[in-house]
Amino acid sequence: EPEVTQTPSHQVTQMGQEVILRCVPISNHLYFYWYRQILGQKVEFLVSFYNNEISEKSEIFDDQFSVERPDGSNFTLKIRSTKLEDSAMYFCASSARAASTDTQYFGPGTRLTVL
Amino acid sequence: GDSVTQMEGPVTLSEEAFLTINCTYTATGYPSLFWYVQYPGEGLQLLLKATKADDKGSNKGFEATYRKETTSFHLEKGSVQVSDSAVYFCALSELSGYSTLTFGKGTMLLVSP
């Protein structure tokens, strides 16, 4: 069964460093998402991406964040200058369509630890 | 804005016990409702969904009914197994927009033999 994959599974970085989290969505999906979950808190939406541009973003997704689909398979989340409060589990998801009834398929997550 | 409230966990049950995990929501429109499950070390997997009022979603013995009058989508299972131990997330997606999911905090279920 097709699945969303994410690398790395765990990333440790120093405050102020740039990190890139990588995702490979399901191959025939067109809509891509990033969510994050700070330990003990809710899973929160960050950004959605379609047709090589951001379609929606939350207030969390400020200028420090960017997303890119550099080739036909990868979807990346970049944090330019990490802060302590960026420590969280980051989930990538993809869906075939954007309808509210459609299922989003999630990857296993990348745990980001900022020291 | 939209929000989802789930019962606090952990919920601790013995095998074969009846499970209910409560979920209520606040939404401006007519959302679709989902339950996702996260097994240890894995990502979020869709467990079931319902897209309109009075719909019942079901999968692997789990059920949830979309109740518009009480804005609820409670998850139930008649007889839990040790393998059901996981974190369960209730979520909604509004009809408009790009189907952004709004999640509850998650409820951990621990089932002992």
Side-chain angles (χ1 to χ4, degrees), chain A residues 94-110:
Chain A
S94 69
S95 65
R97 296 177 300 170
S100 66
T101 53
D102 273 17
T103 298
Q104 292 183 26
Y105 294 86
F106 283 76
T110 293

Side-chain angles (χ1 to χ4, degrees), chain B residues 80-91:
Chain B
V80 293
Q81 305 300 312
V82 172
S83 56
D84 294 327
S85 298
V87 181
Y88 292 81
F89 294 90
C90 185

Side-chain angles (χ1 to χ4, degrees), chain A residues 2-66:
Chain A
E3 58 181 18
V4 177
T5 59
Q6 290 185 243
T7 54
S9 56
H10 192 188
Q11 172 94 45
V12 181
T13 190
Q14 295 291 325
M15 192 168 56
Q17 295 296 304
E18 174 183 288
V19 295
I20 298 176
L21 310 183
R22 301 180 194 282
C23 168
V24 179
I26 293 172
S27 62
N28 63 343
H29 284 184
L30 300 177
Y31 296 85
F32 314 115
Y33 311 84
W34 283 101
Y35 293 81
R36 78 171 185 191
Q37 184 182 29
I38 294 171
L39 191 64
Q41 298 186 24
K42 296 185 179 190
V43 176
E44 302 170 291
F45 167 74
L46 292 178
V47 65
S48 59
F49 190 86
Y50 168 70
N51 200 25
N52 280 319
E53 57 183 34
I54 291 173
S55 46
E56 195 170 356
K57 61 183 181 178
S58 72
E59 58 190 25
I60 301 168
F61 194 87
D62 61 21
D63 292 344
Q64 294 296 318
F65 292 89
S66 62

Side-chain angles (χ1 to χ4, degrees), chain A residues 31 33 35 37 40-46 48 50 55-56 89 91 95 97-109, chain B residues 3-5 30-32 34 36 38 41-46 49 51 89 93-105:
Chain A
Y31 296 85
Y33 311 84
Y35 293 81
Q37 184 182 29
Q41 298 186 24
K42 296 185 179 190
V43 176
E44 302 170 291
F45 167 74
L46 292 178
S48 59
Y50 168 70
S55 46
E56 195 170 356
M89 181 73 90
F91 294 105
S95 65
R97 296 177 300 170
S100 66
T101 53
D102 273 17
T103 298
Q104 292 183 26
Y105 294 86
F106 283 76
Chain B
S3 67
V4 175
T5 303
Y30 300 93
S32 294
F34 304 82
Y36 278 83
Q38 185 178 30
E42 298 184 18
L44 299 166
Q45 301 174 25
L46 179 70
K49 69 180 185 184
T51 58
F89 294 90
S93 176
E94 283 278 21
L95 192 60
S96 60
Y98 285 89
S99 67
T100 301
L101 286 168
T102 299
F103 284 90
K105 266 192 159 184

